[in-house]
Amino acid sequence: MTDRPLTLMAVHAHPDDEATGTGGILARYAAEGIRTVLVTCTDGGCGDGPGGVKPGDPGHDPVAVASMRRQELKASCDVLKISDLEMLDYADSGMTGWPSNDAPGSFWQTPVEEGAARLAELMRHYRPDVVVTYDENGFYGHPDHIQANRITMAALEMTTLTPKVYWTTMPHSTMKRFGEIMREFHEDMPEPDPAEAAAMAEIGLPDDEITTWVDTTAFSGQKFDALAAHASQGENIFFLKMGKERFGELMGMETYVRVKDATSAAVPENDLFAGLR
């Protein structure tokens, strides 16, 4: 036995990712007395600036955007009761195909070994029992999400730690429901072209391939408020348009794939800490 608290570490790419994908578990496990550690890899400088000015447009200042988003991230952490925030502060690489992908110092251009070594130091310090990040495709192909997966898996190899490791995902049934709700809010939304539709179909997993279903419905209000804390990016956060009730209906269950485990806990499971307490 040890006096060290059980610890969850979530490794995310940008400010606001913590709320979208894992806000429910971060709030739930914090409420259960588990130490929650958030590692945010980039500064979010490719996000919208004040007034909605877009990256690449006149007046967009990545340094000012990063500063603003840091404050929003801290506010989100307060809402979710996150114990510890660590920022690696790599430059945001932007969406796939943006010129910022190739910028020196961007997260996408950072050698995996460098980022992994920094993350491994944090892992040795916090000694997480559970680590959560994205899958190998970054859930939807974002360069910084892919890089977050790469440095997380490499960092684990650099340590002697044996946490349960999970990748975020979404069941196809929820993706289908999400598409229906999108059309409710945007009646004039055109049908996606075949290539886009095929790419969307690859996101998430069939329901029966998901190992871990965590009910965070009781914390969906906190999750919504954490997203709302990222006010500068509100135009890009469709979920906020739903209102709390609809949001809770769609986003109350968080789902994961367990990829590393030394507990032999049975799957499917409803608790990331199954086998650890």
Side-chain angles (χ1 to χ4, degrees), residues 226-267:
L227 269 175
H230 296 280
S232 68
Q233 309 307 304
E235 183 181 328
N236 303 317
I237 304 175
F238 166 76
F239 301 109
L240 294 176
K241 298 178 174 66
M242 297 181 185
K244 279 189 178 181
E245 184 175 347
R246 293 292 298 279
F247 179 84
E249 292 171 5
L250 184 67
M251 304 294 287
M253 182 72 72
E254 292 188 350
T255 49
Y256 304 88
V257 173
R258 194 172 80 191
V259 294
K260 287 183 179 289
D261 171 56
T263 69
S264 299
V267 293

Side-chain angles (χ1 to χ4, degrees), residues 121-139:
E121 281 301 305
L122 293 176
M123 289 179 173
R124 294 185 191 103
H125 174 72
Y126 289 107
R127 303 187 65 80
D129 301 282
V130 171
V131 174
V132 176
T133 192
Y134 316 99
D135 63 20
E136 293 165 311
N137 189 47
F139 185 60

Side-chain angles (χ1 to χ4, degrees), residues 6 41 122 129 157 183 191 193 207 224 256 275:
L6 285 171
C41 296
L122 293 176
D129 301 282
E157 294 297 319
R183 282 186 285 275
E191 289 295 323
D193 63 49
D207 292 37
F224 185 93
Y256 304 88

